């Protein structure tokens, strides 16, 4: 069924319906635009929320960020930020694929509809014009016919009048004949106009207007199909990002499951344990015995208070819940408890070693550049590098001094394996490593007695110990001579059993199949622990 056949006489209804359809498209476009604004505002608020709490987290103490509960919260904030990005993507795709596309299509429909309505109006005007011509010829025929009848009656009357002359009679008959002829012409013109109008009217109602109505029907059905696609896109746009949104939500769930309360407790302990021993029992002080003693007995002078009995630990607060005063910060971190002091000294040594390595690399680069300039003066003046080379040398000497100073403090703080770690990163005057590097280079000249004494401390770890079960294995990436006491040599590709993990000092304890045990640099191997 089509409009041209069934709605041939409903032009006004078709015009109103097609206009209403276009207005529905405009209304839907407006609806989607408002939806995109909601998504954009939602995404913006989510981003601001994540940023707000991210900034708060970053202002917290650094140690807190190592706790799984804090890290998981940070992961949730990151996932929410990604989630906000997907909401923005929904808004962007809806705007591009629905709003912009439908708006463009709507303009095309409006132009096409306007063209069809103009065709219909033109056909209507043509039919009306033909009808006016028909009506005009009809009225003229009617008028001339009446005039012809009157002229014929006058001629008959004149012919019967005995007083009328022959000339009057002849004149009246001629006039009647002329009027009859004119009336006949008008009659023929009217008949022709009627035939023309009927033909045009038939063309109008059975061909022209049905074609226009069918075109409008096709236009309206295309509009409906396009609008239906827009309805589906409204859903599909969000469906396309749902897998990513699902991953964001899975990430949030994973962040929750990654929280490990036991691990957080261990982290807290490692970060804050002082290393002090618990206070011992206070001795009974018998003041009654002092009566029988002479006042010159200085050993029984003013009784010792509890703070005196604490000895080396008297700098520590006596009461567990007493308010702590802010300690004076010292360069050797002596204001910290023993355990925390060792960790800070180790951290400081790492920083100095990295900085020193950077300066040594810079020195080597400047030396190579100077050699190039000396051999090829056209490339540059060697003297221009003098100030940089001098400054780099001063920096290296300064950092070496700091390295030595902090190594001494670390030894005083009770560092053992830690010392070996940092001794392995000391530098000679040529900017090369004194001990062992990943390429297997070794200098026999720099093995001072002090470091040998430190390495000897490893021997204590192996005395009177039962053979421990391996906790995994490792594969050597580089050769390691193991020339120092307490260490064990290995060849690249060799597989060893891991009996003790790296405790943060950069050394791992391993064992060969023949039972030989010792320490190796953790960075020299790839480790796989048993699960």
């Amino acid at each position: 069924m089509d409009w041209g056949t069934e709605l041939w006489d409903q032009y006004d209804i078709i015009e109103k319906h097609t206009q209403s359809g276009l207005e529905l498209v405009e209304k839907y476009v407006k609806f989607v635009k408002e939806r995109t604004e909601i998504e954009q505002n939602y995404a913006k608020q989510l981003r601001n929320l994540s940023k707000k709490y991210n900034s708060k987290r970053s202002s917290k103490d650094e140690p807190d960020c190592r706790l799984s509960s804090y890290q998981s919260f940070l992961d949730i904030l990151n996932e929410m930020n990604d989630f906000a990005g997907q909401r923005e993507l929904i808004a962007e795709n809806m705007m591009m694929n629905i709003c912009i596309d439908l708006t463009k299509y709507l303009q095309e429909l409006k132009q096409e509809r306007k063209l069809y309505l103009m065709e219909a109006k033109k056909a209507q005007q043509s039919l009306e014009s033909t009808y006016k011509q028909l009506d005009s010829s009809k009225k003229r025929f009617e008028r001339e016919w009446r005039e012809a009848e009157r002229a014929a009656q006058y001629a008959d009357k004149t012919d019967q009048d005995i007083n009328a002359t022959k000339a009057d009679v002849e004149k009246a008959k001629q006039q009647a004949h002329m009027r009859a002829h004119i009336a006949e012409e008008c009659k023929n013109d009217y008949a022709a106009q009627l035939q023309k109008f009927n033909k045009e009217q038939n063309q109008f109602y059975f061909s022209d207007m049905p074609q226009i109505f069918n075109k409008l029907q096709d236009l309206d059905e295309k509009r409906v199909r396009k609008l239906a696609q827009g309805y589906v896109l409204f859903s599909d746009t969000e469906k396309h990002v749902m897998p990513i949104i699902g991953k964001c939500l899975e990430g949030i769930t994973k962040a929750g499951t990654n929280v490990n309360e036991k691990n957080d407790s261990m982290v807290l302990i490692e970060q804050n344990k002082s290393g002090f021993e618990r206070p011992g029992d206070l001795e009974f002080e018998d003041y009654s015995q002092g009566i029988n003693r002479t006042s010159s007995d200085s050993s029984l002078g003013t009784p010792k208070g509890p703070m005196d009995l604490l000895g080396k630990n008297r700098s520590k607060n006596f009461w567990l819940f007493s308010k702590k005063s802010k300690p004076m910060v010292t360069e050797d971190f002596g204001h910290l408890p023993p355990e925390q002091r060792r960790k800070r000294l180790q951290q400081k040594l790492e920083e100095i070693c990295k900085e020193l390595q950077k300066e040594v690399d810079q020195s080597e680069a400047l030396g190579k550049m100077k050699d190039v300039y000396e051999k090829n003066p056209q490339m540059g003046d060697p003297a221009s590098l003098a100030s940089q080379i001098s400054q780099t040398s001063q920096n290296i000497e300064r950092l070496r001094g700091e390295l030595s100073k902090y190594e001494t403090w670390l030894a005083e703080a009770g560092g053992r394996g830690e010392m070996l770690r940092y001794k392995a990163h000391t530098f000679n005057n040529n900017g090369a490593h004194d001990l062992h590097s990943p390429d297997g280079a070794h200098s026999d000249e720099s093995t001072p007695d002090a470091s040998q004494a430190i390495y000897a401390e490893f021997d204590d770890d192996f005395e009177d110990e039962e053979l421990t079960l391996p906790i995994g294995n490792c594969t050597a990436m580089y050769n390691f001579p193991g020339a120092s006491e307490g260490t064990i040599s290995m060849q690249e590709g060799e597989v060893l059993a891991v009996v003790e993990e790296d405790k943060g000092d950069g050394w791992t304890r391993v064992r060969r199949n023949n039972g030989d045990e010792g320490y190796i640099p953790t960075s020299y191997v790839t480790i796989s622990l048993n699960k």
Side-chain angles (χ1 to χ4, degrees):
M1 298 178 68
D2 53 56
W3 291 2
T5 302
E6 306 298 332
L7 301 177
W8 63 272
D9 58 344
Q10 300 297 329
Y11 173 83
D12 292 340
I13 295 297
I14 291 175
E15 182 184 22
K16 183 178 180 181
H17 172 75
T18 53
Q19 178 61 31
S20 176
L22 297 179
E23 290 174 355
L24 177 60
V25 176
E26 290 179 335
K27 184 181 294 185
Y28 180 63
V29 169
K30 185 178 180 182
F31 163 75
V32 176
K33 281 184 179 179
E34 292 187 11
R35 163 70 190 277
T36 60
E37 291 174 0
I38 291 173
E39 290 289 354
Q40 288 170 344
N41 290 333
Y42 179 42
K44 183 178 180 181
Q45 290 176 357
L46 285 177
R47 287 194 184 279
N48 289 339
L49 183 65
S50 298
K51 183 178 179 181
K52 174 183 176 182
Y53 282 89
N54 246 328
S55 61
K56 283 190 173 182
R57 285 297 325 123
S58 62
S59 66
K60 292 289 184 180
D61 294 333
E62 183 70 22
D64 287 349
C65 295
R66 294 180 58 191
L67 301 177
S68 63
S69 53
Y70 285 102
Q71 186 59 49
S72 291
F73 180 55
L74 191 62
D75 292 342
I76 289 174
L77 295 178
N78 292 334
E79 294 293 350
M80 286 306 298
N81 200 54
D82 294 342
F83 180 87
Q86 296 308 309
R87 305 316 302 187
E88 290 173 339
L89 186 60
I90 289 174
E92 180 181 348
N93 288 341
M94 283 188 174
M95 180 62 70
M96 294 295 296
N97 300 333
I98 299 179
C99 296
I100 295 178
D101 188 50
L102 275 183
T103 299
K104 181 180 178 181
Y105 189 72
L106 183 62
Q107 296 303 319
E108 295 174 358
L109 291 181
K110 285 182 177 180
Q111 292 297 326
E112 190 176 353
R113 175 178 177 272
K114 183 179 179 181
L115 179 64
Y116 295 152
L117 293 181
M118 287 177 64
E119 289 180 4
K121 191 172 184 180
K122 184 177 180 181
Q124 178 74 23
Q125 289 173 348
S126 177
L127 184 63
E128 288 177 356
S129 175
T130 304
Y131 179 77
K132 286 179 180 179
Q133 292 176 6
L134 172 64
D135 187 60
S136 176
S137 64
K138 178 183 176 181
K139 288 178 179 179
R140 183 184 176 192
F141 166 62
E142 181 183 7
R143 185 174 62 252
E144 293 297 332
W145 180 253
R146 287 176 182 174
E147 288 293 331
E149 283 185 338
R150 282 197 296 269
Q153 290 174 2
Y154 180 76
D156 289 343
K157 184 179 178 181
T158 303
D159 186 44
Q160 293 175 4
D161 186 358
I162 58 174
N163 297 322
T165 65
K166 186 177 180 180
D168 291 336
V169 172
E170 189 64 28
K171 182 179 179 180
K173 285 183 178 181
Q174 288 179 354
Q175 186 68 24
H177 179 73
M178 184 186 69
R179 286 293 178 184
H181 180 72
I182 293 174
E184 187 64 26
E185 288 181 350
C186 289
K187 178 182 178 181
N188 292 336
D189 182 61
Y190 169 60
Q193 288 295 332
L194 180 62
Q195 186 178 8
K196 178 182 177 182
F197 174 77
N198 286 335
K199 182 180 179 181
E200 287 195 15
Q201 181 176 251
N202 185 277
Q203 177 76 16
F204 179 82
Y205 285 111
F206 287 91
S207 179
D208 293 345
M209 292 307 293
Q211 289 180 7
I212 293 173
F213 285 174
N214 288 339
K215 289 179 181 178
L216 287 170
Q217 181 181 0
D218 291 341
L219 179 145
D220 192 66
E221 289 177 355
K222 285 192 299 182
R223 172 195 63 82
V224 173
R225 285 195 302 271
K226 189 70 174 180
L227 189 57
Q229 293 173 4
Y231 291 162
V232 174
L233 280 174
F234 188 79
S235 171
D236 288 347
T237 302
E238 188 157 355
K239 283 182 180 178
H240 289 160
V241 300
M242 285 305 293
I244 302 177
I245 289 178
K247 288 183 179 179
C248 293
L249 297 177
E250 288 175 4
I252 293 175
T253 302
K254 185 178 179 181
T257 57
N258 284 343
V259 175
N260 187 325
E261 65 279 6
K262 294 296 184 182
N263 184 68
D264 284 3
S265 295
M266 292 301 298
V267 170
L268 185 66
I269 291 171
E270 288 300 319
Q271 288 178 349
N272 298 284
K273 65 181 179 181
S274 66
F276 288 129
E277 295 183 0
R278 291 181 178 86
D281 294 339
L282 296 179
E283 296 180 1
F284 177 75
E285 299 184 36
D286 191 352
Y287 290 97
S288 63
Q289 296 298 325
I291 299 174
N292 300 325
R293 300 187 181 186
T294 61
S295 58
S296 62
D297 190 352
S298 59
S299 63
L300 292 178
T302 304
K304 295 183 180 179
M307 295 308 293
D308 295 318
L309 295 173
L310 292 177
K312 291 191 296 180
N313 296 346
R314 60 185 174 184
S315 62
K316 187 178 65 170
N317 288 317
F318 178 67
W319 297 108
L320 184 61
F321 301 105
S322 62
K323 185 176 181 181
K324 295 183 178 180
S325 59
K326 188 174 181 180
M328 182 182 297
V329 179
T330 57
E331 187 182 8
D332 62 351
F333 304 111
H335 62 286
L336 296 176
E339 188 72 22
Q340 301 305 315
R341 184 189 180 199
R342 282 194 293 272
K343 289 183 178 180
R344 291 300 297 275
L345 288 171
Q346 290 169 15
Q347 181 181 355
K348 187 67 177 179
L349 278 170
E350 287 180 356
E351 295 173 359
I352 295 173
C353 284
K354 288 179 181 179
E355 190 175 352
L356 183 54
Q357 181 62 57
K358 184 177 178 182
E359 292 293 337
V360 168
D361 292 342
Q362 176 72 9
S363 178
E364 291 178 351
L366 289 171
K368 292 178 180 178
M369 189 179 297
K370 182 180 179 181
D371 291 340
V372 171
Y373 286 176
E374 289 175 347
K375 295 177 181 178
N376 302 280
Q378 68 275 11
M379 298 183 66
D381 182 11
S384 63
L385 302 175
S387 60
Q388 296 182 49
I389 293 175
S390 175
Q391 182 62 47
T392 304
S393 299
Q394 293 176 13
N395 292 341
I396 291 174
E397 290 302 320
R398 174 180 57 80
L399 290 170
R400 281 176 181 158
E402 290 186 8
L403 186 67
S404 176
K405 179 172 61 176
Y406 278 96
E407 284 177 341
T408 302
W409 285 336
L410 181 59
E412 292 174 356
R416 302 197 317 172
E418 298 89 342
M419 282 297 296
L420 179 59
R421 177 185 183 183
Y422 298 112
K423 284 293 182 181
H425 288 83
T426 54
F427 303 85
N428 60 25
N429 293 330
N430 296 324
H433 290 83
D434 277 345
L435 295 181
H436 317 295
S437 55
D439 60 2
H442 175 65
S443 174
D444 296 329
E445 298 177 359
S446 55
T447 313
D449 295 339
S451 60
Q452 291 291 345
I454 294 169
Y455 301 148
E457 295 181 9
F458 282 116
D459 294 340
D460 298 336
D461 295 336
F462 304 126
E463 293 178 0
D464 301 326
E465 286 187 3
E466 294 182 2
L467 196 64
T468 56
L469 293 175
I471 59 174
N473 58 63
C474 65
T475 304
M477 296 187 294
Y478 313 107
N479 296 333
F480 179 65
S484 305
E485 294 186 34
T487 63
I488 186 172
S489 65
M490 64 180 177
Q491 300 296 321
E492 181 180 352
E494 184 177 358
V495 178
L496 303 170
V498 177
V499 294
E500 185 178 316
E501 284 188 85
D502 186 341
K503 295 182 178 180
D505 56 11
W507 293 87
T508 299
R509 185 176 168 187
V510 298
R511 179 192 302 140
R512 279 203 182 88
N513 293 334
N514 61 6
D516 292 343
E517 289 189 11
Y519 284 93
I520 58 170
T522 305
S523 59
Y524 279 41
V525 294
T526 56
I527 299 176
S528 175
L529 298 178
N530 300 331
K531 295 183 179 179

